[in-house]
Amino acid sequence: MASSGTLLFIFTALCVTAVKRFVKVECKAENVGQYGQHSLLECVVKKTTDIKDPKIRTVAWKKLTSPEDEGDLMLGFNRGKLDEPKRGYRFAEPLWDEKNMNVSLLITNTAVAHDGYYECIVITDSGDDSIVTTLKVQARYSVPTVHFIPEKIVPNSDSTLICESRGGYPKGTLCWFDEENHEWTKSSKMEVTQSDDGLFQLTSRLSLLGGFTFLKYTCAVFNASGGKENDKTFEMPAPSGETTERSGILYCKILWIYKIVVPLVVIGSLIVCVLLIYRWRSQGE
Ligand SMILES: *[C@@H]1O[C@H](CO)[C@@H](O)[C@H](O)[C@H]1NC(C)=O
Ligand SMILES: *[C@@H]1O[C@H](CO)[C@@H](O)[C@H](O)[C@H]1NC(C)=O
């Protein structure tokens, strides 16, 4: 449903398209907005020739679903007054008026839905111009939580580490590392879910078949451009006391065999040999 303001705007736009262009709208090609904060889509109107300062008649900020789309009017200024702006959209300049060439758009409380293409259309008494710019919304992933199943460790049996991180945008990835910083992500499977507010939740399961080899595993969350956002190191639960003791005793036994028994046997055999030779010699005399 087009509001009267939109119709009036389209009418004005049609009338003015024939006018020569002595102005152009310049925007930052890409604007980044943080989820939950203010986002700025920066655009200024510039003169292309040496004319007197132009006066703005119309500004229309539209949100497009694709760069070619007709779009919906979010913020409009036409013939001296604001066309009821959509909630959360306003001119970045608090006291904006038609003499102010800074027509930047401010989006308050940025949401995932704000991500995308915007068109800024400006009509002045010295011509008109329009340009499409983008807003990339980013939300930081939470510090991952890591837990282990089964809760009780059974030595040498299969287990799984589960890592979760939520509240991020755009889609990121979870990676696994051991305490020597070798990557284990290939042994894991990641699931991605998107909540109603558009934010992603990542869940990764690392299978540790036949028991684990390392005492610590780290789960790290990387954002869409590959930057590490957060990580969490998980210390494997200590195996039950009995096994540590047993393996400790076994280790001591092996050590004892190598350090004491082996040299004793070697020295003993040498002594026996020497004695035998000695006896054999004395018998032969
Ligand atoms: C336009 O106005 C906004 C809000 O006051 C400001 O942050 C921005 O730097 C201005 N841009 C230019 C090019 O003047
Ligand atoms: C990813 O993280 C890096 C480093 O923290 C940051 O500079 C970049 O803007 C982030 N990108 C996205 C898409 O979140």
Side-chain angles (χ1 to χ4, degrees), residues 2 5 9 14 36 45 49 70 91 120 144 152 162 191 233 239 261 264 282:
F9 163 74
L14 285 175
V45 181
T49 54
E70 173 56 28
F91 281 111
C120 178
K152 267 193 191 155
I162 300 173
E191 252 174 56
T233 298
V261 177
L264 270 185
S282 48

PDB file of all heavy atoms in Angstrom, residues 2 5 9 14 36 45 49 70 91 120 144 152 162 191 233 239 261 264 282:
ATOM      1  N   ALA A   2       0.801   2.010  -1.033  1.00  0.00           N
ATOM      2  CA  ALA A   2       1.644   3.201  -1.131  1.00  0.00           C
ATOM      3  C   ALA A   2       0.975   4.361  -0.407  1.00  0.00           C
ATOM      4  O   ALA A   2      -0.202   4.636  -0.597  1.00  0.00           O
ATOM      5  CB  ALA A   2       1.869   3.559  -2.592  1.00  0.00           C
ATOM      6  N   GLY A   5       2.422  10.128   0.542  1.00  0.00           N
ATOM      7  CA  GLY A   5       3.759  10.696   0.442  1.00  0.00           C
ATOM      8  C   GLY A   5       4.568  10.005  -0.642  1.00  0.00           C
ATOM      9  O   GLY A   5       5.249  10.659  -1.445  1.00  0.00           O
ATOM     10  N   PHE A   9       5.940  11.519  -4.014  1.00  0.00           N
ATOM     11  CA  PHE A   9       7.362  11.432  -4.288  1.00  0.00           C
ATOM     12  C   PHE A   9       7.610  10.912  -5.701  1.00  0.00           C
ATOM     13  O   PHE A   9       8.399  11.464  -6.452  1.00  0.00           O
ATOM     14  CB  PHE A   9       8.060  10.522  -3.266  1.00  0.00           C
ATOM     15  CG  PHE A   9       9.401  10.096  -3.725  1.00  0.00           C
ATOM     16  CD1 PHE A   9      10.450  10.989  -3.723  1.00  0.00           C
ATOM     17  CD2 PHE A   9       9.594   8.827  -4.254  1.00  0.00           C
ATOM     18  CE1 PHE A   9      11.679  10.626  -4.215  1.00  0.00           C
ATOM     19  CE2 PHE A   9      10.814   8.457  -4.756  1.00  0.00           C
ATOM     20  CZ  PHE A   9      11.864   9.356  -4.731  1.00  0.00           C
ATOM     21  N   LEU A  14       9.240  11.727 -11.288  1.00  0.00           N
ATOM     22  CA  LEU A  14       8.972  11.656 -12.730  1.00  0.00           C
ATOM     23  C   LEU A  14       9.131  13.023 -13.383  1.00  0.00           C
ATOM     24  O   LEU A  14       9.684  13.149 -14.474  1.00  0.00           O
ATOM     25  CB  LEU A  14       7.558  11.123 -12.987  1.00  0.00           C
ATOM     26  CG  LEU A  14       7.376   9.617 -12.763  1.00  0.00           C
ATOM     27  CD1 LEU A  14       5.923   9.223 -12.937  1.00  0.00           C
ATOM     28  CD2 LEU A  14       8.266   8.816 -13.715  1.00  0.00           C
ATOM     29  N   GLY A  36      22.191  -4.276  17.392  1.00  0.00           N
ATOM     30  CA  GLY A  36      21.756  -3.644  18.642  1.00  0.00           C
ATOM     31  C   GLY A  36      22.245  -2.220  18.814  1.00  0.00           C
ATOM     32  O   GLY A  36      21.898  -1.556  19.783  1.00  0.00           O
ATOM     33  N   VAL A  45      25.428  15.040  -0.635  1.00  0.00           N
ATOM     34  CA  VAL A  45      25.097  15.564  -1.956  1.00  0.00           C
ATOM     35  C   VAL A  45      26.192  16.547  -2.342  1.00  0.00           C
ATOM     36  O   VAL A  45      26.557  17.420  -1.542  1.00  0.00           O
ATOM     37  CB  VAL A  45      23.727  16.279  -1.918  1.00  0.00           C
ATOM     38  CG1 VAL A  45      23.373  16.813  -3.299  1.00  0.00           C
ATOM     39  CG2 VAL A  45      22.648  15.332  -1.409  1.00  0.00           C
ATOM     40  N   THR A  49      29.180  20.926 -10.825  1.00  0.00           N
ATOM     41  CA  THR A  49      29.740  22.111 -11.500  1.00  0.00           C
ATOM     42  C   THR A  49      29.664  23.272 -10.524  1.00  0.00           C
ATOM     43  O   THR A  49      29.109  23.151  -9.437  1.00  0.00           O
ATOM     44  CB  THR A  49      28.934  22.477 -12.761  1.00  0.00           C
ATOM     45  OG1 THR A  49      27.569  22.606 -12.385  1.00  0.00           O
ATOM     46  CG2 THR A  49      29.083  21.438 -13.853  1.00  0.00           C
ATOM     47  N   GLU A  70      12.402  -2.178  -6.611  1.00  0.00           N
ATOM     48  CA  GLU A  70      11.715  -0.890  -6.465  1.00  0.00           C
ATOM     49  C   GLU A  70      11.891  -0.350  -5.029  1.00  0.00           C
ATOM     50  O   GLU A  70      12.179   0.813  -4.836  1.00  0.00           O
ATOM     51  CB  GLU A  70      10.244  -1.092  -6.807  1.00  0.00           C
ATOM     52  CG  GLU A  70       9.328   0.103  -6.558  1.00  0.00           C
ATOM     53  CD  GLU A  70       9.759   1.374  -7.285  1.00  0.00           C
ATOM     54  OE1 GLU A  70      10.405   1.276  -8.358  1.00  0.00           O
ATOM     55  OE2 GLU A  70       9.452   2.454  -6.769  1.00  0.00           O
ATOM     56  N   PHE A  91      17.254  10.909   9.820  1.00  0.00           N
ATOM     57  CA  PHE A  91      18.450  11.552   9.293  1.00  0.00           C
ATOM     58  C   PHE A  91      19.521  11.525  10.379  1.00  0.00           C
ATOM     59  O   PHE A  91      19.219  11.739  11.556  1.00  0.00           O
ATOM     60  CB  PHE A  91      18.159  13.003   8.885  1.00  0.00           C
ATOM     61  CG  PHE A  91      17.475  13.107   7.553  1.00  0.00           C
ATOM     62  CD1 PHE A  91      16.148  13.517   7.465  1.00  0.00           C
ATOM     63  CD2 PHE A  91      18.158  12.784   6.381  1.00  0.00           C
ATOM     64  CE1 PHE A  91      15.513  13.609   6.234  1.00  0.00           C
ATOM     65  CE2 PHE A  91      17.525  12.874   5.150  1.00  0.00           C
ATOM     66  CZ  PHE A  91      16.202  13.280   5.071  1.00  0.00           C
ATOM     67  N   CYS A 120      19.397   5.770  -2.040  1.00  0.00           N
ATOM     68  CA  CYS A 120      19.208   7.142  -1.600  1.00  0.00           C
ATOM     69  C   CYS A 120      18.922   7.996  -2.841  1.00  0.00           C
ATOM     70  O   CYS A 120      19.755   8.091  -3.741  1.00  0.00           O
ATOM     71  CB  CYS A 120      20.465   7.639  -0.895  1.00  0.00           C
ATOM     72  SG  CYS A 120      20.341   9.355  -0.376  1.00  0.00           S
ATOM     73  N   PRO A 144      32.167 -19.591  23.387  1.00  0.00           N
ATOM     74  CA  PRO A 144      31.553 -20.919  23.284  1.00  0.00           C
ATOM     75  C   PRO A 144      31.434 -21.606  24.644  1.00  0.00           C
ATOM     76  O   PRO A 144      32.198 -21.310  25.566  1.00  0.00           O
ATOM     77  CB  PRO A 144      32.535 -21.688  22.393  1.00  0.00           C
ATOM     78  CG  PRO A 144      33.400 -20.670  21.748  1.00  0.00           C
ATOM     79  CD  PRO A 144      33.440 -19.493  22.661  1.00  0.00           C
ATOM     80  N   LYS A 152      30.683 -39.268  32.684  1.00  0.00           N
ATOM     81  CA  LYS A 152      31.725 -40.051  33.368  1.00  0.00           C
ATOM     82  C   LYS A 152      32.622 -40.677  32.319  1.00  0.00           C
ATOM     83  O   LYS A 152      32.144 -41.229  31.339  1.00  0.00           O
ATOM     84  CB  LYS A 152      31.078 -41.157  34.218  1.00  0.00           C
ATOM     85  CG  LYS A 152      30.853 -40.721  35.646  1.00  0.00           C
ATOM     86  CD  LYS A 152      30.521 -41.898  36.520  1.00  0.00           C
ATOM     87  CE  LYS A 152      30.030 -41.431  37.885  1.00  0.00           C
ATOM     88  NZ  LYS A 152      29.181 -42.433  38.514  1.00  0.00           N
ATOM     89  N   ILE A 162      30.999 -31.354  22.824  1.00  0.00           N
ATOM     90  CA  ILE A 162      30.008 -30.517  22.143  1.00  0.00           C
ATOM     91  C   ILE A 162      30.292 -29.055  22.448  1.00  0.00           C
ATOM     92  O   ILE A 162      30.445 -28.662  23.604  1.00  0.00           O
ATOM     93  CB  ILE A 162      28.582 -30.880  22.582  1.00  0.00           C
ATOM     94  CG1 ILE A 162      28.312 -32.345  22.245  1.00  0.00           C
ATOM     95  CG2 ILE A 162      27.565 -29.982  21.887  1.00  0.00           C
ATOM     96  CD1 ILE A 162      27.013 -32.854  22.774  1.00  0.00           C
ATOM     97  N   GLU A 191      26.400 -27.899  13.136  1.00  0.00           N
ATOM     98  CA  GLU A 191      25.002 -27.625  12.799  1.00  0.00           C
ATOM     99  C   GLU A 191      24.761 -26.140  12.968  1.00  0.00           C
ATOM    100  O   GLU A 191      25.267 -25.534  13.908  1.00  0.00           O
ATOM    101  CB  GLU A 191      24.099 -28.321  13.816  1.00  0.00           C
ATOM    102  CG  GLU A 191      23.351 -29.516  13.293  1.00  0.00           C
ATOM    103  CD  GLU A 191      22.621 -30.169  14.449  1.00  0.00           C
ATOM    104  OE1 GLU A 191      21.820 -29.469  15.120  1.00  0.00           O
ATOM    105  OE2 GLU A 191      22.871 -31.362  14.686  1.00  0.00           O
ATOM    106  N   THR A 233      38.680 -23.216  26.121  1.00  0.00           N
ATOM    107  CA  THR A 233      39.470 -24.434  26.270  1.00  0.00           C
ATOM    108  C   THR A 233      38.815 -25.329  27.302  1.00  0.00           C
ATOM    109  O   THR A 233      38.426 -24.870  28.363  1.00  0.00           O
ATOM    110  CB  THR A 233      40.910 -24.090  26.688  1.00  0.00           C
ATOM    111  OG1 THR A 233      41.485 -23.311  25.648  1.00  0.00           O
ATOM    112  CG2 THR A 233      41.750 -25.342  26.880  1.00  0.00           C
ATOM    113  N   PRO A 239      40.600 -39.083  34.291  1.00  0.00           N
ATOM    114  CA  PRO A 239      40.147 -40.470  34.321  1.00  0.00           C
ATOM    115  C   PRO A 239      40.087 -40.917  35.775  1.00  0.00           C
ATOM    116  O   PRO A 239      40.785 -40.351  36.617  1.00  0.00           O
ATOM    117  CB  PRO A 239      41.231 -41.231  33.566  1.00  0.00           C
ATOM    118  CG  PRO A 239      42.099 -40.205  32.928  1.00  0.00           C
ATOM    119  CD  PRO A 239      41.906 -38.929  33.668  1.00  0.00           C
ATOM    120  N   VAL A 261      67.080 -54.239  36.613  1.00  0.00           N
ATOM    121  CA  VAL A 261      67.151 -55.648  36.265  1.00  0.00           C
ATOM    122  C   VAL A 261      68.096 -55.880  35.081  1.00  0.00           C
ATOM    123  O   VAL A 261      68.969 -56.742  35.146  1.00  0.00           O
ATOM    124  CB  VAL A 261      65.748 -56.215  35.994  1.00  0.00           C
ATOM    125  CG1 VAL A 261      65.828 -57.656  35.555  1.00  0.00           C
ATOM    126  CG2 VAL A 261      64.887 -56.074  37.230  1.00  0.00           C
ATOM    127  N   LEU A 264      71.733 -55.540  35.929  1.00  0.00           N
ATOM    128  CA  LEU A 264      72.114 -56.625  36.838  1.00  0.00           C
ATOM    129  C   LEU A 264      72.349 -57.913  36.057  1.00  0.00           C
ATOM    130  O   LEU A 264      73.342 -58.614  36.261  1.00  0.00           O
ATOM    131  CB  LEU A 264      71.021 -56.848  37.887  1.00  0.00           C
ATOM    132  CG  LEU A 264      71.153 -56.043  39.185  1.00  0.00           C
ATOM    133  CD1 LEU A 264      70.076 -56.446  40.176  1.00  0.00           C
ATOM    134  CD2 LEU A 264      72.541 -56.239  39.796  1.00  0.00           C
ATOM    135  N   SER A 282      92.030 -72.970  34.740  1.00  0.00           N
ATOM    136  CA  SER A 282      92.743 -73.630  35.850  1.00  0.00           C
ATOM    137  C   SER A 282      92.641 -75.146  35.714  1.00  0.00           C
ATOM    138  O   SER A 282      93.549 -75.869  36.098  1.00  0.00           O
ATOM    139  CB  SER A 282      92.230 -73.147  37.198  1.00  0.00           C
ATOM    140  OG  SER A 282      90.835 -73.186  37.203  1.00  0.00           O
TER     141      SER A 282
END
